[in-house]
Amino acid sequence: MRKLLVIGIGPGDPRQVTIEAIDAMKSVDAFFVLDKAPERGVAVKHSLVGLRQEICDRYIDGDYRFVEVPDPPRDRNPADYRAEVRRWHDARADLIEEALATELAEDGVGGILVWGDPALYDSTLRIVDTIIARGRIDLDYTVIPGITSFASLTAAHKILLNRIGEPIHITTGRRLSETPEGASANQVVMLDADCTFLQTAAPTDHIWWGAYLGTADQILIEGTVGDVGERIRETRTAARERHGWIMDIYLLRR
Ligand SMILES: C[S@@+](CC[C@H](N)C(=O)[O-])C[C@H]1O[C@@H](n2cnc3c(N)ncnc32)[C@H](O)[C@@H]1O
């Protein structure tokens, strides 16, 4: 039976890869590289694939093999967001299944290096479940956790996610405006290309923002939305232009 290791590699700093992840990486015959986004440009590919290569170079003695699985095209502004994401995941499952069947021996060990932790806004596990449910190839898999981008954010700002006993709400820029009032004390917001907090937050809300966390390009801004909101938007736009890509996350506290 083919075996697949879904390995969380943390949010960008090679030193934040766990020893469990390193041990797993050493047993892999071929790494399947999935998350390239052609519409976001070549720079993304080089940065994300490049970081994975840096991690492998650093921790694996000897040769390793990368199999790049092309990303199927995706409609970023569909009428039905969930239906489009399901269609896209199915298309990705097709390509990954084919790559596993053709690039991995029947008793081989494949690896997928997942940004941050595989349980947080990542489609790898959903896709692996789809492939197993189809039953066309025999596949067993193991998940190795990784440091999340919000752990990197809170450590960089030296803060807790919550005040004593408060709940924490994790959401995306797309869904930020839907947070129920009772859950808005501490919101962790990911995947927000539009600085949505500028529309939803009160000027007195506090924001801790971080981009390229754990990398040499890390940027941190903190303050009330009224004081630093516009600066975050300008900094984000300029950084995205300079690098060709950006990953940023923030904690918003009411
Ligand atoms: C598809 S999600 C993947 C999350 C990942 N699985 C995790 O555990 O953090 C991508 C989002 O994670 C956040 N992110 C990931 N790495 C980051 C980093 N190094 N700096 C800032 N934000 C990051 C950003 O909000 C980005 O839009």
Side-chain angles (χ1 to χ4, degrees):
M1 183 183 285
R2 290 177 179 85
K3 190 162 170 59
L4 187 63
L5 304 178
V6 179
I7 306 170
I9 55 168
D13 184 340
R15 295 169 307 167
Q16 290 176 352
V17 178
T18 67
I19 292 169
E20 185 183 12
I22 293 169
D23 285 347
M25 282 162 53
K26 286 180 174 165
S27 69
V28 165
D29 299 317
F31 291 97
F32 294 82
V33 181
L34 314 180
D35 61 351
K36 295 177 277 126
E39 64 272 22
R40 273 185 255 150
V42 177
V44 171
K45 177 182 167 184
H46 285 164
S47 302
L48 300 187
V49 176
L51 187 89
R52 287 184 172 83
Q53 269 161 359
E54 189 186 332
I55 287 171
C56 290
D57 287 344
R58 190 161 173 156
Y59 297 119
I60 299 175
D61 307 321
D63 284 345
Y64 57 86
R65 190 157 69 93
F66 267 26
V67 177
E68 287 198 15
V69 183
D71 231 3
R74 174 177 175 187
D75 181 353
R76 294 260 164 201
N77 292 302
D80 185 339
Y81 179 77
R82 279 168 170 272
E84 171 58 11
V85 170
R86 267 196 301 273
R87 185 208 61 75
W88 184 60
H89 285 173
D90 274 353
R92 291 184 96 195
D94 290 342
L95 294 171
I96 295 162
E97 185 180 328
E98 193 188 324
L100 288 168
T102 54
E103 299 285 345
L104 201 61
E106 283 192 17
D107 59 351
V109 180
I112 298 183
L113 301 179
V114 174
W115 202 259
D117 181 78
L120 187 66
Y121 292 121
D122 186 274
S123 55
T124 308
L125 293 179
R126 203 172 296 123
I127 289 169
V128 172
D129 284 341
T130 303
I131 293 171
I132 288 173
R134 288 173 177 172
R136 293 183 210 136
I137 57 172
D138 269 347
L139 189 66
D140 183 23
Y141 71 106
T142 300
V143 181
I144 289 106
I147 290 181
T148 65
S149 48
F150 67 71
S152 203
L153 175 79
T154 49
H157 280 289
K158 305 182 199 168
I159 51 164
L160 281 87
L161 282 179
N162 57 290
R163 286 164 296 201
I164 297 172
E166 283 182 344
I168 300 154
H169 187 70
I170 302 175
T171 189
T172 62
R174 186 182 286 272
R175 307 291 296 266
L176 181 57
S177 63
E178 298 166 23
T179 302
E181 189 53 37
S184 62
N186 304 287
Q187 299 186 79
V188 176
V189 186
M190 307 174 66
L191 293 158
D192 185 3
D194 301 315
C195 293
T196 310
F197 64 89
L198 290 171
Q199 270 79 58
T200 63
T204 48
D205 289 353
H206 206 100
I207 185 165
W208 289 264
W209 178 81
Y212 312 104
L213 291 161
T215 75
D217 301 310
Q218 174 171 294
I219 313 171
L220 301 174
I221 298 180
E222 176 243 325
T224 63
V225 169
D227 285 344
V228 302
E230 274 309 321
R231 180 147 65 88
I232 290 173
R233 194 215 306 258
E234 286 161 17
T235 305
R236 189 184 193 285
T237 305
R240 193 185 181 287
E241 246 164 56
R242 199 165 57 248
H243 297 285
W245 66 286
I246 190 163
M247 279 216 259
D248 62 326
I249 180 169
Y250 51 92
L251 170 67
L252 202 54
R253 176 164 297 155
R254 180 128 297 172

